Amino acid sequence: MDSEQAGRGGRALTRIVRRPGAFVCGIDAAMDVIGGKWKVLILWALNEKTCRFGELRRAVPGVTEKVLSSHLKELEDDGIVHREVYAEVPPRVEYSLTPLGLSLNAALEPLGAWGRDHIYRSAEESGAEAAAESGVEAAAEPVAGPGSR
């Protein structure tokens, strides 16, 4: 991802420049928006409810403040996330999904279903292999995880 820096009022601003026309297919264009380890988890958390920064940080364990802040800015620039700043003391900022973000989450639902099926299938296969080795018939236990919500 390219960025341009321009000085305005003594501050450096970063503008994200996308690759218009350089996408191979729709998946390529979508991955340009949601690529990375944390963005889909941020989208999932915001699909549940509007969140403040700290709530998002807790909802996406393992993400650093720097990366979360960066990803939220990129998602905002892409029109996926809305950032609402309230004129209060102390200042309050809330993040929510835009209609475009809601449509992206709807598009990701089949991928989540595939992931859940894959996790369950892997658990069943592991249980069957362990049972075959011990000579006992085993029932697969459901696997819980972030993709099971």
Side-chain angles (χ1 to χ4, degrees), residues 2 4 9 14 41 54-55 75 78 80 86-87 90 99 102 104 111 123 127 130 132-133 136 140:
D2 299 322
E4 287 181 9
T14 302
L41 297 175
E55 291 175 300
L75 289 167
D78 288 332
I80 304 297
Y86 295 91
L102 291 169
L104 177 57
L111 182 61
E133 289 175 7
V136 176

Side-chain angles (χ1 to χ4, degrees), residues 66-128:
K66 179 180 178 181
V67 169
L68 179 58
S69 179
S70 170
H71 283 349
L72 284 168
K73 176 70 174 124
E74 289 173 14
L75 289 167
E76 185 182 3
D77 289 345
D78 288 332
I80 304 297
V81 169
H82 172 71
R83 181 177 186 263
E84 182 76 29
V85 180
Y86 295 91
E88 301 175 353
V89 177
R92 178 171 53 118
V93 178
E94 292 183 341
Y95 297 91
S96 61
L97 293 177
T98 64
L100 187 61
L102 291 169
S103 72
L104 177 57
N105 261 359
L108 290 171
E109 284 177 13
L111 182 61
W114 182 89
R116 281 188 301 279
D117 290 348
H118 180 69
I119 289 170
Y120 293 138
R121 186 174 301 116
S122 295
E124 289 172 358
E125 290 170 1
S126 296

Side-chain angles (χ1 to χ4, degrees), residues 46-67:
L46 289 175
N47 199 51
E48 297 292 308
K49 65 177 188 162
T50 296
C51 293
R52 294 175 73 172
F53 187 86
E55 291 175 300
L56 275 173
R57 179 101 194 272
R58 289 185 295 277
V60 183
V63 68
T64 65
E65 286 186 21
K66 179 180 178 181
V67 169

Side-chain angles (χ1 to χ4, degrees), residues 5-21:
Q5 297 238 341
R8 182 186 289 172
R11 295 184 350 214
L13 301 177
T14 302
R15 182 174 63 96
I16 305 299
V17 178
R18 295 286 173 199
R19 310 177 296 163

